[in-house]
Amino acid sequence: MQNNIAVKLQDITKTFGKQVVANKDVTLDIRKGEILSLLGENGSGKTTLMNMLAGIYFPDSGHIFMDTDGEGLKEVSICSPKDAYALGIGMIHQHFKLVDVFTATENVALGLDKSIAFNKKQIAQDIKAICDKYGFKVEADKKVYNMSVSEKQTLEIVKALYRGANILILDEPTAVLTPQETDMLFDVMRNMKADGKSIIIITHKLNEVLEISDRVSILRKGEYVGTVDTADATVSSLTEMMVGQKVTLEIDRKEPKDIKERLVVKNLTCVNKYGVKALDNVSFTAYGGEILGIAGISGSGQKELLEAIAGLQDTVENSSIEYIAPEANTPSQLIGKTALQIKNMGVALSFVPEDRLGMGLVGTMGMSDNMMLRSYRKGFIFTERKGPKSLAQKVKDDLEVVTPSITTPVRKLSGGNVQKVLVGREIAAEPTVLMTAYAVRGLDVNTSYTIYGLLNEQKEKGVAVIYVGEDLDVLLALSDRIMVLCDGKLNGIVDARTTTKEEIGLLMTHLREEENDNG
Amino acid sequence: MANVAVHKREPLVRIAKRDSMPLWQSILIRVLSIVLALVVCGVIIYMLIKVNPLEVYKSMVEGAFGAFKEDYKFFNRRTWITIRDTMMLLCIAVGLAPAFKMRFWNIGAEGQILVGGIATAACMIYLKNLPPVLLFICMIGASLLAGALWSLLPAIFKAKWNTNETLFTLMMNYVAIQLTSFFVALWENPFGSNTVGIINPTGKEGWFPPVFGLDYLMNVIVVMTITVGMFIYLKYSKQGYEISVVGDSENTARYAGINVKKVIIRTMLISGAICGLSGFVAVSGASHTISVNTAGGKGFTAIIVAWLAKFNTFTMILISLLLVFLDKGAIEIASKYDLNDYVASMITGIILFFILGSEFFVNYRMIFRSKEKEVQ
């Protein structure tokens, strides 16, 4: 049993400052040739724990043992990523660490010891050998900025393997992949496992955990809860361990009733700064009282679509976005108006952008000041602060935002809490149109379902909800209709109650023939 | 994996970010850093000139606040000069505050001070027959306008084409210096001296009037009004809120419906105008003349003040005072102990180094390898 273990973490504790305990006395075994899922809610310390294996952080206390030579466990000390590589540990971070202007080969060569002469050909050959062995597809001379997200991720894995990694850590690898790409990744992971490598995958997605891993270790609030064999686990048993109590994982989707035309989009076309059409002739209607899901590989025009509606994106001639207020019958044109003009027209548009701190919130300000962002124009010369303050308190209480105080800068909060602040503010504005981009990205199960609940509540109030999402299971369960974007074009609108994941996956990746368009 | 680098020990020192620190503790660290700086300076001074460092520090204080004689009064001429220069530095730093808060790096305060000074001097020379109140309104208006205009160009370029404001404002300084040379030549007095000389030495038209018989109290009143006003503007006004949002993220500002270009231009105009006004304070309230040295690097020193104060205009008062004190004190010891100016700069440099270094200890803490663990 003992020599079956590749890495042993013992009593690892890591704190940030005095208050934040990221990991507390975590003890964990990683076996040779297994896929271990590390599961936990936001802020449960999964990434921190793995960063200590990868040499990014150093534990405050505790021990790491490794079997480096097949002769049993020895204590090691990992002070830097370089040490980690020397011990055969490679981590693929959520945000890729690649140089955009370099080719695949150059990126792999980067950071190698100087003693190894830079022999591109040799490295390219080695990369090819690794690819053939495990079933990767990497074009050695392709520049990183030309690569898709999936290609970049593959390159990161190859880079780690090239450096001799025997233990691979993947931090939420599937968050940015399409279902097809995820399947490809899982195939490769199984090949690596068959070769005797240990793989640790950090993820939120329970169905993936069940599909790929051999064992699941669960962390809750920085503490180790337990490890179960995947064969014995179910979605609900894992959730219970993660959250610490039973939660209902059901999205209560009501039939939409008395839906009304709210936004009529016609021939919407946007050109990005490189002169490429980011959105190409998109036409659809969003109704009050329904949730319109938008699916697509990231970068298919979702961002431009929402920003065009919000008045933040220049559009090409002939584009038309008409807004029909709940009580009025006359549509008003939104194209050519700035965000402020749209607001002044009385259009109650709420928008949860993808980039929370870069667009939706001011990171250096507290919750209270962030609540004013959309309403600070009230009052004469000086800002009115009482309203925002009580709103901040209300959002904090209603959505259970974890923050030391409503004046703590929001960039110090965890991702889930930041998102709650943003969603809370946008819903509090009592919108008639609510647009959300990746509203639950990076959020744990519990918070995600809170947000789904809020969106459904808005729908029942007659709000036109537009939900841009990446998790197809959720899109299928939450939306009434799903609109699929592919390469900036509208590739079909399907009924969420009757369609399948496969159909949407296909629509996301393969542009249909022109004649079948406008489905 | 034969050549595995297995480290047996944890690193000797690790650095971790602090989440927060009680106010008294952070003040203590900063005070300690100054004390430490003085000790280091003392050692160096002793090594160089074999003088008791305490004596040296005493002369520094005397340099800034007057010699300690029997009939010592705190508000003597030297103290007032120190206050005057502090106010000047403070005024510029307050001018930089809105631009810096917006992350618009206005390095062009020097130029804005000079053009503000030129405008003031022009009013003093050509409009000296106006009634004093009117003359002052003209001087204030002209210096504000001149400073604002000087910052308008970089602001427009930044807003429209996103040019680099650092280089742009910096280069505007050199234009302003040349412009000043031109006006010095134009207003040369007496002829051939290559200086403007004291303007209106007899009638003192356009000079700051003494308040309660004190020459420089007017400077204090003017600058403190601006300081308080700027604090309120940045913290409580809608425009101040817009500046903070634009400074944090332009995308967020656009999302909130803020006209980013308008805010950039408006804020930069305010920043330039107040720097121009410090030119007015310098000419009308202090030197009563104009030369290429009127700004004298204060536009750059003010950048340090603004940063050290983290753009809080009230903290700027303390930092300005500290820097002016160091400057005066250093000049005094340089002359008293027959050293050259470099020693003065050196001491100022050492002290600033320690103050800046203290920020590291306020934000981070060092964790040393603990002994008990090795015993385990």
Side-chain angles (χ1 to χ4, degrees), chain A residues 44-254:
Chain A
S44 59
K46 309 178 294 281
T47 304
T48 309
L49 186 66
M50 288 303 113
N51 275 338
M52 284 188 274
L53 260 186
I56 302 210
Y57 296 139
F58 194 89
D60 290 345
S61 67
H63 307 271
I64 301 175
F65 300 94
M66 277 189 76
D67 184 0
T68 50
D69 44 14
E71 291 172 13
L73 294 170
K74 277 189 209 104
E75 180 160 7
V76 293
S77 166
I78 306 167
C79 300
S80 70
K82 217 173 169 177
D83 292 351
Y85 268 120
L87 291 163
I89 300 170
M91 181 157 173
I92 286 74
H93 295 269
Q94 236 171 326
H95 304 282
F96 303 135
K97 314 246 184 276
L98 296 169
V99 181
D100 263 359
V101 292
F102 279 8
T103 63
T105 316
E106 285 163 344
N107 264 293
V108 169
L110 202 70
L112 290 177
D113 274 342
K114 284 188 190 108
S115 54
I116 303 172
F118 183 52
N119 183 345
K120 255 192 194 178
K121 238 184 214 163
Q122 182 62 45
I123 296 170
Q125 268 175 23
D126 293 346
I127 292 176
K128 195 161 181 311
I130 294 172
C131 291
D132 292 346
K133 190 170 173 190
Y134 299 111
F136 291 111
K137 285 188 193 74
V138 171
E139 289 171 60
D141 292 325
K142 199 170 183 178
K143 301 261 190 196
V144 169
Y145 60 80
N146 284 328
M147 292 186 179
S148 70
V149 180
S150 162
E151 285 176 296
K152 287 182 197 174
Q153 187 180 61
T154 310
L155 177 58
E156 281 277 25
I157 300 174
V158 170
K159 192 170 93 181
L161 291 173
Y162 180 84
R163 294 181 181 183
N166 278 319
I167 294 151
L168 273 166
I169 305 163
L170 304 171
D171 192 355
E172 303 221 21
T174 59
V176 288
L177 301 183
T178 61
Q180 282 82 356
E181 289 168 338
T182 305
D183 287 343
M184 271 166 58
L185 174 70
F186 284 179
D187 286 341
V188 174
M189 281 169 67
R190 288 190 192 99
N191 290 340
M192 292 193 287
K193 173 182 138 185
D195 191 44
K197 310 233 181 245
S198 308
I199 300 167
I200 306 166
I201 171 171
I202 301 177
T203 180
H204 287 303
K205 298 181 185 170
L206 295 169
N207 47 358
E208 288 175 0
V209 170
L210 294 173
E211 183 187 338
I212 186 75
S213 58
D214 300 309
R215 294 189 307 148
V216 192
S217 291
I218 291 140
L219 294 181
R220 189 199 310 147
K221 291 182 179 140
E223 290 183 54
Y224 174 72
V225 177
T227 300
V228 288
D229 285 332
T230 311
D232 306 331
T234 62
V235 168
S236 62
S237 75
L238 289 177
T239 314
E240 207 179 319
M241 284 179 82
M242 237 165 87
V243 182
Q245 64 194 46
K246 261 199 159 38
V247 273
T248 44
L249 294 184
E250 264 167 47
I251 299 175
D252 180 23
R253 174 169 60 185
K254 299 235 165 59

Side-chain angles (χ1 to χ4, degrees), chain A residues 397-415:
Chain A
D397 297 341
D398 289 357
L399 299 183
E400 293 166 2
V401 179
V402 182
T403 171
S405 92
I406 54 171
T407 54
T408 308
V410 291
R411 71 183 154 83
K412 291 195 174 169
L413 309 185
S414 75

Side-chain angles (χ1 to χ4, degrees), chain A residues 58 60 77 83 87 312 351 358-359 361-365 369 372-373 376-377 379 381 383 385 425-426, chain B residues 1 4 7 9-11 14 19 235-238 241-242 244 248-249 251-252 254-258 373:
Chain A
F58 194 89
D60 290 345
S77 166
D83 292 351
L87 291 163
L312 300 171
F351 178 23
M359 188 159 196
L361 296 168
V362 183
T364 49
M365 291 183 183
D369 280 358
M372 313 199 314
L373 192 61
Y376 76 94
R377 286 183 189 82
I381 299 182
T383 48
R385 280 166 193 268
R425 182 187 73 204
E426 291 305 301
Chain B
M1 292 269 101
V4 168
H7 297 256
R9 299 163 144 208
E10 64 171 291
R14 287 181 289 127
D19 40 14
K235 193 146 190 210
Y236 296 108
S237 80
K238 291 199 268 186
Y241 183 79
E242 285 175 345
S244 305
D248 189 83
S249 155
N251 266 332
T252 305
R254 280 182 345 111
Y255 165 86
I258 293 171
K373 245 196 280 181

Side-chain angles (χ1 to χ4, degrees), chain B residues 34-187:
Chain B
I34 294 178
V35 172
L36 205 62
L38 291 177
V39 171
V40 171
C41 288
V43 170
I44 292 174
I45 291 167
Y46 186 76
M47 275 163 42
L48 288 175
I49 50 176
K50 306 276 184 276
V51 177
N52 179 358
L54 288 178
E55 282 294 316
V56 175
Y57 294 138
K58 189 181 158 218
S59 17
M60 279 183 86
V61 177
E62 285 181 341
F65 301 114
F68 295 127
K69 288 183 223 132
E70 275 173 27
D71 56 343
Y72 177 78
K73 279 195 301 214
F74 181 69
F75 286 104
N76 55 42
R77 176 136 192 95
R78 281 216 165 157
T79 308
W80 274 112
I81 299 276
T82 302
I83 292 175
R84 181 194 78 187
D85 290 357
T86 305
M87 287 303 130
M88 175 70 192
L89 192 58
L90 176 63
C91 189
I92 307 164
V94 168
L96 293 177
F100 277 22
K101 192 137 193 198
M102 197 178 64
R103 311 241 175 117
F104 183 108
W105 308 121
N106 178 11
I107 311 294
E110 289 277 301
Q112 290 146 18
I113 297 163
L114 283 177
V115 293
I118 293 171
T120 309
C123 290
M124 286 165 77
I125 291 169
Y126 298 120
L127 304 174
K128 70 174 174 186
N129 295 326
L130 284 179
V133 175
L134 220 54
L135 176 59
F136 268 93
I137 292 175
C138 284
M139 291 195 303
I140 292 172
S143 61
L144 284 172
L145 200 66
L149 277 177
W150 214 246
S151 62
L152 182 64
L153 206 57
I156 289 179
F157 272 73
K158 171 80 178 181
K160 295 252 186 229
W161 297 289
N162 198 23
T163 53
N164 184 319
E165 75 277 9
T166 318
L167 287 175
F168 210 132
T169 50
L170 184 67
M171 289 193 288
M172 292 294 282
N173 288 342
Y174 301 107
V175 182
I177 290 172
Q178 294 306 317
L179 200 67
T180 314
S181 302
F182 169 78
F183 279 103
V184 168
L186 185 72
W187 297 329

Side-chain angles (χ1 to χ4, degrees), chain B residues 237-311:
Chain B
S237 80
K238 291 199 268 186
Q239 296 191 354
Y241 183 79
E242 285 175 345
I243 291 172
S244 305
V245 175
V246 171
D248 189 83
S249 155
E250 282 189 23
N251 266 332
T252 305
R254 280 182 345 111
Y255 165 86
I258 293 171
N259 185 339
V260 175
K261 286 178 186 165
K262 193 174 115 190
V263 173
I264 289 180
I265 293 176
R266 183 181 69 205
T267 307
M268 194 49 201
L269 285 181
I270 292 172
S271 174
I274 295 179
C275 290
L277 194 73
S278 11
F280 157 72
V281 174
V283 171
S284 171
S287 69
H288 310 120
T289 183
I290 177 90
S291 77
V292 288
N293 295 322
T294 295
K298 292 196 191 73
F300 296 119
T301 314
I303 297 172
I304 305 175
V305 176
W307 264 107
L308 281 177
K310 301 203 176 100
F311 315 140

